[in-house]
Amino acid sequence: MKQAGAQKETLKKVLRYVARHRLLMAGSVLCAALSVACTLYIPVLTGGVVDHILGPGRVDFAAVAAGLLRIGLIAAAGGIAQWLMKDLNNRAAYRVVRDVRADAFAKLSRLPLRYIDGHPAGEVVSRIVADVDQFSDGLLMGFTQLFTGVLTILGTLLFMLAVHPGITLVVVLVTPISLLAAAFIAHRTYSMFKLQSQVRGAQTGFMEEIITGQKVVQAFGQERKTLERFDELNTQLQKASLRAIFFSSITNPTTRFVNSLVYTGVGIVGALTVLSGGLTVGQLSAFLSYANQYTKPFNEISGVVTELQNALACAGRVFELIDEPARTPDAPDAVALNAAQGRVAIDDVCFAYQPERPLIEHFDLRVEPGQRVALVGPTGCGKTTVINLLMRFYDVDSGSIAVDGTDIRRITRQSLRANYGMVLQDTWLKSGTIRENIAFGRPEATPEEVVAAAKAAHAHSFISRLPQGYDTPVGEDGGSLSQGQKQLLCIARVMLHLPPMLILDEATSSIDTRTEMRIQRAFAKMMRGRTSFIVAHRLSTIRDADVILVMRDGHIVEQGDHATLLQKGGFYKELYESQFAGNLPFS
Amino acid sequence: MIKKLVSRIRQYRRDTILAPLLVTMEVVMEVIIPLLMANLIDYGINGNDLGYIVRIGLALVACAIISLVFGVGSGRSAARASAGFAANLRKDMYYNVQTFSFSNIDKFSTASIVTRLTTDVTSVQNAFQMFIRTAVRSPIMLIFSLAMAVRIKASLSLIFLVAIPILGGGILLISMKAHPQFRKMFKNFDRLNTVVQENLRGIRVVKAFVREEHEKEKFDEAAEAIRRDSSKAEKILAFNNPLMQFAMYSCILLISWIGARLIVGSEMTTGQLMSLLSYSMQILSSLMMLGMIFVMLTMARASGERIVEILDENTDISDGPKDLMEVKDGSIRFENVEFRYKTAGETVLENINLDIRSGQTVGILGGTGSGKSSLVQLIPRLYDVSAGRVLVGGEDVRDYNVEALRNEVSMVLQKNVLFSGTIKENLRWGNENATDEEIVHACELAQADSFIREFPDGYDTLLDQGGTNVSGGQKQRLCIARALLKSPKILILDDSTSAVDTRTDALIRQAFKDEIPGVTKIIIAQRVASVQDADQIIVLDDGKISAVGDHDTLMKTSTIYREVYESQQKGDNE
């Protein structure tokens, strides 16, 4: 029954969201009750009118007219109630959906990076977009129909009881069979729908990855191979969806079958009762028509139940994301770091992405305010990881990192990060204009400030040549800008932001060396008095650093300035010489 | 649009036809049941015939069972048809997307393509399933009930002739009003998708700039827009039900009123009026169902249009008319090439003339945005030239079969992309049938073997999406190995060793020289050291060729080259 438990949990969570809009829901329920009452009352009125039409020449026209007028009024009231119910319900449902989406998205910023690094982006997108959408469809249909259905059943039962309690008993006794059948199928449907949205998520993840990497796919002529994998996922989804649809669609015939049995049962028992004189023929036909009306909502409800199953299955996946353990929250006594001086101390830090593969071990470092620290070393030695730790994208496994003497775990993340300006090798631009991208860190910046920053980053000249200048929209991830131009924009972004500490991770790797030198000068001016961490392979980038840390396999093997390290004749010298002194022969 | 969508049913045509047929049978059974019941009352009870009652009772049960069988059967067919239809749609769309050039993709944006492939297809699938299951049921019920009504009193049933067009018109109006709202809603879905995707990819930057709140606001805006649009659309659709009820009760009232007059004139009996009323209920509720289907279709129409847009999009780049399958050698010629990206309009490359012999090594240097990447992307036809032509192996690249051309031109892109899967799987992109020895050999050339072996799982190490668990330099070397495995005639490295330390970079170049001397190698680099020993070095400046020659010539003739060289050498002289 674990599954039912999970379903109940999900339902509880959904209800918590619905409760926020309880006023709308209450209104919707009220209108539903009103509209059901009207619907049930009309046959009674119609019956009353018919009673006044007894035969040729025996029609009470005044009474008929009055009756018809009343029917018209009630019908109008019912119509209005129904419209209102739908409207209120829509409002509530769409608000719930918006809230769930907002929470799911907000969660993304609280998730540890480990989660996001480890999950395909498309899969997460599928949860926030597709699953919530399915959930909203179910929610919309579900609540109103379920409620009106139940009310209709109750109302009809009352009428039947009034006519003949004995036969009503037969009806009531058979009802559980109908419910059992529906429950049996619903149980199956839930797991099918769950499977369906799982596979859908996997497929979305795959498609997103391939379409984003389309250039590589085409450059390698791998279209066919990705198609195979796509077909595989597509067939899986087709199968899952087939089963989900099938199970949900047999609900209706099944309940209808049970209902036909009820109908037949009432007919036979009724006929026998008539034969034994316990009922008139007229009463029996009235009864049969009620029995018919009684079972109809069951059909509707069973349809709704499958819809709700789907909604719940999808909601379950969204809540999985929302309930994913968040990164450790900021300590309750965490302080906000205002304009840091820039003293950084790393003490005996160990860290590993995977426990079985230690990456950084017993790492120590002291950085004084305003120092320029360069990290060099062979690829994979852990330079980028150090940055992940400094920014607290990941928490250290042991040891500590302190800024201005305060352990960063006791500083609010936001204020810590606000003190760093970061440019990464992997440029990231968002869809929007060039201006918006430069002003990303300081949206309130004036146009002049934006231009000044762009000039400092030597991006101004290429931007001015674009058809719409600073208002040129850049597409997803930079569109047709070159990699180097994207880096210039990212640098301009930091130049505008100008925080007390800087992290440059291969920030200029795709920029030509002449432009780079000019940017270096701009940086030098900007970095005066600012602590900065630079990761680079180009010696020209790091030569002027106050401290060069030579890293190898997660350890610092050498430390010192350029001249000292060269004199020492160690690993740094070896690295250095491979670039300039003895160029290996080439072609 | 509908024709285009329907043609995608293909192998599920049988199920698509079978489903409504089975539904028809199911409905017939449902109609028979009340008729039998009437007989049971009329003859069984009035004739006091217990045997008859039991016989009819059994027949009723039989009908119920048959109805169940047909119902389940139709459910199965409908499920098969709709799931299959959706799968076909996704397949056709995705296959077409795979042929898209980048300008095609830029036109839609990745997020929009993904939404269309998922959300929109689901919406069409639901409508389709609903359609084949209920679209038949309601008309049959309608026709049956109408026939009965006419049989009872033809003149009175004329009322329906008036009621049905009014209703139909109302529904049409509602759905026309709702349609644009739905289209708007789906556009906002694209926006939502974009925000989520961007934030996942750029999460480090968002966090570093402490912009989570702002991004949240942007997302909330998109989510709110969806809420608003769907609310508006649903608000319009909510008129559907009251409209139906209005029509239904008007009919009932009219029938009662006129019926009463007829009864007075002895033209009709009370019983007939009763039956007529119950049939009119059935007629109108069938209409109501039809209306609901119509609404479903309205919703699906917006999605259907978006799907057809993808299906109809023709790729800019397709196989040439000559469809050449073989690339003779690795020579490359650029003749008066001019190039601009469609979206940006500005000329990126101008007046490019180059002659590269097979087996040569060519270095390309140039400032940021000078068009280096654009230049090399023309060789494997990732983009087409705007004017002039590019020849590979003596033939215009546009005359080749695209796949054949790209098989011989291996390119390591500036932005390295690895896909989720093991290292080995990623490398096999280069050559599916590569043996383990070949893979190891390629990795040795790319100086990747040693670090791969250090992973606990070696070549079977799993890479996350985007390869976040390997460092930038490691990623670049894996991409080089992947390109080498293709054993191409032309190898292009677009600034592919920028994150690799200088020593490793030199080792890679040495390995190229020793192991693949016959391959034409084009190397874009920032470091002079990376291109210094090339046969020709091309210096690009602002989309034009500024100078061509070997290192010694350029040192004499090109100021740009000399400046770059000196700026990088300065360290030595200090």
Side-chain angles (χ1 to χ4, degrees), chain B residues 362-573:
Chain B
V362 178
I364 303 181
L365 273 180
T368 305
S370 60
K372 304 181 295 281
S373 301
S374 307
L375 181 86
V376 294
Q377 288 187 4
L378 299 175
I379 301 170
R381 260 192 105 194
L382 289 181
Y383 290 92
D384 268 339
V385 294
S386 308
R389 55 182 196 151
V390 176
L391 296 107
V392 169
E395 299 282 349
D396 192 320
V397 286
R398 283 168 295 193
D399 288 335
Y400 283 105
N401 173 285
V402 177
E403 203 181 325
L405 174 71
R406 288 182 184 157
N407 262 333
E408 295 300 344
V409 182
S410 202
M411 183 149 157
V412 184
L413 294 160
Q414 203 168 15
K415 191 142 193 177
N416 299 286
V417 181
L418 292 170
F419 296 88
S420 34
T422 66
I423 287 184
K424 204 183 270 178
E425 279 165 13
N426 265 289
L427 292 170
R428 284 234 163 91
W429 272 60
N431 175 7
E432 257 172 83
N433 307 313
T435 62
D436 285 359
E437 289 76 40
E438 283 170 325
I439 289 178
V440 172
H441 182 64
C443 289
E444 280 168 358
L445 291 187
Q447 310 301 318
D449 182 61
S450 54
F451 81 79
I452 296 173
R453 282 183 197 280
E454 274 172 32
F455 290 130
D457 296 328
Y459 281 85
D460 294 317
T461 304
L462 270 175
L463 298 178
D464 294 338
Q465 187 176 13
T468 39
N469 53 350
V470 283
S471 79
Q474 290 172 336
K475 228 195 284 186
Q476 287 187 333
R477 284 184 276 171
L478 286 176
C479 290
I480 294 173
R482 180 171 67 181
L484 284 173
L485 270 171
K486 251 169 93 171
S487 33
K489 292 205 166 75
I490 299 171
L491 176 68
I492 301 170
L493 303 183
D494 185 357
D495 205 5
S496 319
T497 53
S498 61
V500 176
D501 58 88
T502 41
R503 185 158 57 162
T504 311
D505 183 27
L507 286 172
I508 293 173
R509 273 180 288 127
Q510 180 64 34
F512 281 179
K513 190 196 158 204
D514 296 344
E515 302 274 344
I516 48 167
V519 176
T520 310
K521 295 165 281 280
I522 299 181
I523 298 170
I524 296 180
Q526 308 293 351
R527 300 176 193 141
V528 172
S530 302
V531 297
Q532 204 173 342
D533 295 315
D535 299 312
Q536 318 185 42
I537 300 165
I538 299 159
V539 181
L540 276 181
D541 186 31
D542 202 13
K544 293 179 209 80
I545 293 180
S546 151
V548 183
D550 63 9
H551 176 71
D552 295 331
T553 327
L554 288 177
M555 281 303 279
K556 283 179 212 127
T557 55
S558 169
T559 17
I560 298 183
Y561 186 80
R562 207 165 42 236
E563 265 179 49
V564 173
Y565 178 79
E566 276 162 6
S567 73
Q568 294 181 10
Q569 290 296 308
K570 232 191 286 167
D572 237 10
N573 308 330

Side-chain angles (χ1 to χ4, degrees), chain B residues 16-250:
Chain B
T16 307
I17 296 168
L18 206 57
L21 275 182
L22 291 172
V23 170
T24 315
M25 302 301 285
E26 193 194 356
V27 176
V28 168
M29 286 302 136
E30 263 174 69
V31 173
I32 289 178
I33 288 174
L35 287 179
L36 281 177
M37 189 60 88
N39 279 349
L40 184 134
I41 292 168
D42 287 351
Y43 304 112
I45 296 178
N46 295 341
N48 219 338
D49 188 344
L50 198 66
Y52 187 82
I53 292 178
V54 173
R55 268 207 312 283
I56 296 284
L58 285 178
L60 278 171
V61 173
C63 283
I65 291 171
I66 295 170
S67 166
L68 174 70
V69 171
F70 281 129
V72 172
S74 76
R76 205 177 62 147
S77 291
R80 248 200 229 148
S82 59
F85 176 51
N88 280 346
L89 274 181
R90 278 192 301 264
K91 185 172 168 161
D92 287 1
M93 288 165 77
Y94 185 78
Y95 272 53
N96 201 28
V97 167
Q98 282 301 302
T99 69
F100 278 10
S101 69
F102 304 112
S103 41
N104 290 127
I105 290 180
D106 288 346
K107 189 171 142 196
F108 289 106
S109 89
T110 315
S112 172
I113 294 176
V114 172
T115 326
R116 284 164 205 244
L117 270 159
T118 50
T119 315
D120 285 316
V121 170
T122 310
S123 136
V124 167
Q125 174 185 357
N126 285 343
F128 178 73
Q129 190 226 351
M130 178 95 170
F131 183 75
I132 59 175
R133 287 196 63 215
T134 44
V136 188
R137 169 179 224 107
S138 312
I140 291 177
M141 284 296 230
L142 184 76
I143 291 165
F144 173 80
S145 313
L146 215 66
M148 294 305 266
V150 170
R151 226 185 68 189
I152 292 171
K153 195 82 202 165
S155 54
L156 247 183
S157 6
L158 284 177
I159 288 174
F160 297 117
L161 273 186
V162 183
I164 291 172
I166 290 177
L167 247 181
I171 294 168
L172 203 68
L173 193 76
I174 287 173
S175 84
M176 263 161 53
K177 285 250 183 247
H179 177 67
Q181 291 298 334
F182 280 118
R183 260 203 91 90
K184 240 165 89 189
M185 182 181 89
F186 281 111
K187 253 199 205 114
N188 279 317
F189 265 118
D190 289 350
R191 231 175 87 203
L192 195 75
N193 218 329
T194 309
V195 179
V196 180
Q197 236 178 61
E198 265 181 2
N199 272 276
L200 287 169
R201 296 205 170 278
I203 190 127
R204 280 181 169 77
V205 181
V206 174
K207 279 178 188 281
F209 282 91
V210 197
R211 301 293 293 154
E212 289 108 318
E213 281 312 312
H214 171 80
E215 290 298 304
K216 241 182 260 172
E217 265 167 42
K218 224 171 66 183
F219 176 87
D220 288 348
E221 235 169 70
E224 169 65 22
I226 289 185
R227 184 200 70 74
R228 207 177 42 232
D229 292 340
S230 3
S231 252
K232 256 190 215 156
E234 294 282 353
K235 204 173 235 169
I236 298 168
L237 294 184
F239 278 107
N240 215 22
N241 254 332
L243 175 76
M244 290 293 170
Q245 297 217 333
F246 168 74
M248 182 159 111
Y249 289 118
S250 308

